[in-house]
Amino acid sequence: MLRRTFSFEGKRYDVRAETEEELAVKIALKKRDLEEGHVLVTKNMLVSDWFKTFMTSYKQNTISKETYDDYLYRWEAKIEPYIGRMRVKDVRQIHCQKIVSDMSGHSKDYIEKVANTLFQVFQRAKKNHLMHDNPAEDLELPAAENGIRRAITEYEREIALKVANTHRAGLWIKTILYCGLRPAETAALQGRHLDLKEYVLNVESAIKSKDKRVGKTKTASGKRAIPIPEDLAMEFKRQNISPYEFVFKNTKGGRLSGGNMQIMWRSFKREMNIVAGCEVYRNQVLPPYKIADDLVPYCFRHTFCTDLEAAGVSINEAARLMGHKDISITSKIYTHPSQDSFDKVTKQLSDYRRKKEISSMSTNLDLD
């Protein structure tokens, strides 16, 4: 067996063949593929490269564009940050288990879709002899209810707002909490979308997962105008954001990606645990953690809707501000009972019963 290596853009490639002629042909073909940008299927390839091959070979012409985009979003937001830079053959079940375990707080349907994506990706890798076993088999999925997420507690609100005063993600969290934006909508937000004279935030676009470009909102209803609280407007003004500058940026000054937001959230939640009283040893936050595992950025968006309900805003107007195309989404998924709304109902019932009692007493006196 003959063997030869060559370098391309700083990376070495190994080629083997039975004869000199066959070796020369294999080297020429591999160099051509590299120059044309083709991803080579090799036993040492990275998971990120294999995922691209998987999508191009098995999904591109077999599913709808919407479903294709969903695969890409799940990859970018939930899988790539964990194992994207690992070699396919080095991925173990514990790595896949970590991905789904960290999804506590997401809907049952979404967790199952991420687990299924992992299974499909590595099942095809197994079929192509890149690995002996599928590391995404028999994963233990965290307990979850389908389609239901929660609002934040008053304690979580207190801690989050305290951390937001100093953390670089503070303005991002406040925007989700006070304006109800989806994370993908915050990533597309530019200075021109903020009318700081009239205190109005205009949602016009969102980041698309397929090519990470700025595109349309999730639905036509997603395009909307939202009032900005005065305190939040003052914070935006202090940022001195130019019209076509992104409001929220990564550490390098670029536009936020799904991975950037996940990293930013993990840092923010870590600081919440510290402020809440967790001990830190050698820069590691020690359990037991004070902040619930199921607290995710979307909880702040849902809290915006809960606050609308507690403030007495009609459900039709709440649906518009949330960007829901169907009012049933607002009523069945995004509204959560709060202590304020419960207290309000209690008072209303108490007042009604008191009036009924007074009316009954008045009727009895008249009869006497």
Side-chain angles (χ1 to χ4, degrees):
M1 177 68 72
L2 301 174
R3 174 190 176 193
R4 190 172 300 166
T5 61
F6 69 93
S7 297
F8 182 85
E9 294 184 351
K11 184 175 180 180
R12 293 198 65 77
Y13 293 88
D14 184 86
V15 182
R16 297 169 187 264
E18 295 291 342
T19 66
E20 285 286 353
E21 183 179 356
E22 183 184 0
L23 189 63
V25 170
K26 280 190 171 184
I27 291 173
L29 289 174
K30 182 168 280 194
K31 284 183 177 179
R32 184 200 65 187
D33 286 341
L34 289 169
E35 289 168 355
E36 292 179 356
H38 296 168
V39 176
L40 300 176
V41 177
T42 68
K43 291 185 177 180
N44 288 317
M45 75 186 309
L46 300 179
V47 176
S48 58
D49 290 333
W50 170 246
F51 180 79
K52 293 174 187 175
T53 303
F54 166 81
M55 293 299 294
T56 302
S57 303
Y58 298 108
K59 297 298 178 184
Q60 194 167 51
N61 298 315
T62 61
I63 56 179
S64 68
K65 180 181 181 302
E66 290 75 17
T67 303
Y68 191 92
D69 286 349
D70 285 342
Y71 270 92
L72 292 175
Y73 180 77
R74 290 194 290 272
W75 161 257
E76 180 186 316
K78 300 299 176 185
I79 302 174
E80 183 180 28
Y82 288 84
I83 60 174
R85 301 306 300 168
M86 292 181 66
R87 294 186 300 180
V88 173
K89 67 180 183 181
D90 293 335
V91 178
R92 299 291 180 265
Q93 189 188 58
I94 190 65
H95 300 123
C96 297
Q97 184 63 56
K98 172 68 173 171
I99 292 171
V100 296
S101 294
D102 282 358
M103 291 185 67
S104 177
H106 289 280
S107 70
K108 179 181 178 182
D109 179 66
Y110 188 44
I111 294 172
E112 288 177 346
K113 284 180 177 178
V114 170
N116 182 256
T117 299
L118 283 166
F119 180 85
Q120 290 186 57
V121 167
F122 290 119
Q123 187 67 12
R124 290 297 183 181
K126 179 182 174 183
K127 293 287 186 181
N128 282 275
H129 307 292
L130 298 179
M131 57 199 335
H132 296 296
D133 300 302
N134 186 340
E137 283 186 317
D138 301 323
L139 298 179
E140 297 290 338
L141 305 187
E145 296 183 64
N146 210 5
I148 296 178
R149 290 182 185 150
R150 65 176 180 86
I152 63 175
T153 65
E154 287 305 312
Y155 177 70
E156 288 168 341
R157 187 193 295 252
E158 178 187 346
I159 297 297
L161 292 178
K162 188 177 291 186
V163 173
N165 289 330
T166 56
H167 197 279
R168 75 178 188 89
L171 185 58
W172 179 63
I173 290 294
K174 287 182 181 180
T175 302
I176 299 174
L177 175 61
Y178 292 141
C179 297
L181 269 64
R182 299 177 177 93
E185 293 170 342
T186 66
L189 196 65
Q190 295 181 325
R192 62 193 173 92
H193 298 135
L194 303 174
D195 184 344
L196 299 180
K197 291 182 179 179
E198 299 296 330
Y199 293 175
V200 174
L201 186 155
N202 295 293
V203 180
E204 297 181 355
S205 51
I207 297 299
K208 295 300 180 182
S209 59
K210 182 175 181 179
D211 49 15
K212 302 180 184 179
R213 63 180 175 82
V214 176
K216 295 181 180 179
T217 52
K218 185 177 180 181
T219 65
S221 303
K223 193 172 182 179
R224 61 202 189 276
I226 305 168
I228 307 175
E230 186 175 352
D231 289 348
L232 186 62
M234 293 301 104
E235 289 195 51
F236 282 134
K237 285 182 179 179
R238 287 194 289 270
Q239 299 297 314
N240 195 27
I241 305 163
S242 60
Y244 287 91
E245 178 185 356
F246 286 101
V247 175
F248 304 108
K249 298 179 280 290
N250 59 32
T251 54
K252 296 181 179 179
R255 188 180 65 203
L256 288 179
S257 66
N260 294 150
M261 287 186 278
Q262 189 174 50
I263 291 170
M264 196 159 61
W265 167 245
R266 284 202 296 263
S267 173
F268 188 88
K269 191 172 182 179
R270 176 183 186 275
E271 193 62 28
M272 282 184 68
N273 270 304
I274 294 173
V275 171
C278 282
E279 293 186 11
V280 179
Y281 178 71
R282 292 184 177 177
N283 206 34
Q284 296 294 316
V285 179
L286 303 179
Y289 303 118
K290 308 294 184 180
I291 302 301
D293 287 343
D294 67 349
L295 182 67
V296 295
Y298 250 85
C299 293
F300 292 87
R301 167 171 158 81
H302 302 163
T303 304
F304 172 72
C305 195
T306 302
D307 287 350
L308 292 175
E309 182 185 17
V313 175
S314 72
I315 193 167
N316 287 305
E317 185 61 18
R320 186 193 69 77
L321 292 171
M322 290 291 287
H324 292 153
K325 64 179 180 180
D326 190 334
I327 196 172
S328 65
I329 300 175
T330 314
S331 62
K332 294 180 180 179
I333 301 179
Y334 285 96
T335 54
H336 309 271
S338 67
Q339 189 61 47
D340 285 347
S341 61
F342 183 82
D343 291 344
K344 186 176 181 179
V345 170
T346 302
K347 185 178 185 304
Q348 288 173 333
L349 284 172
S350 179
D351 290 346
Y352 173 77
R353 288 166 182 155
R354 190 177 298 110
K355 288 178 182 178
K356 291 289 288 185
E357 290 170 2
I358 292 173
S359 176
S360 177
M361 288 174 61
S362 177
T363 301
N364 290 336
L365 287 173
D366 290 342
L367 290 174
D368 291 342

